[in-house]
Amino acid sequence: YLSWMRPAVFVSGLVTNLDRPGLRRRVMSAGGQLDFRFTVLSTLDMTMSAGAGVTLERGRRPAREAMISLRVLR
């Protein structure tokens, strides 16, 4: 049975070479994740997570990634 679901959203940014405008880079990433906690056979707690994110930088194509994981707890 499913005991809970937790959504998560993240956003981050990074700027390098603040003192050298010609070499400065600005990168931003954003994404989301869903965590599902469920129990199997009344004793095994499991957490399944699925998420996706994208990285953006001026002059470059967006880079996309996805992930899925399963954690088995006793």
Side-chain angles (χ1 to χ4, degrees), residues 9-22:
V9 176
F10 61 88
V11 177
S12 65
L14 178 66
V15 179
T16 64
N17 297 315
L18 294 174
D19 58 340
R20 299 182 71 186

Side-chain angles (χ1 to χ4, degrees), residues 25-27 55-63:
R25 289 180 67 185
R26 294 179 186 93
V27 181
T55 300
L56 304 169
E57 184 176 4
R58 185 175 292 168
R60 296 183 186 231
R61 293 175 53 168

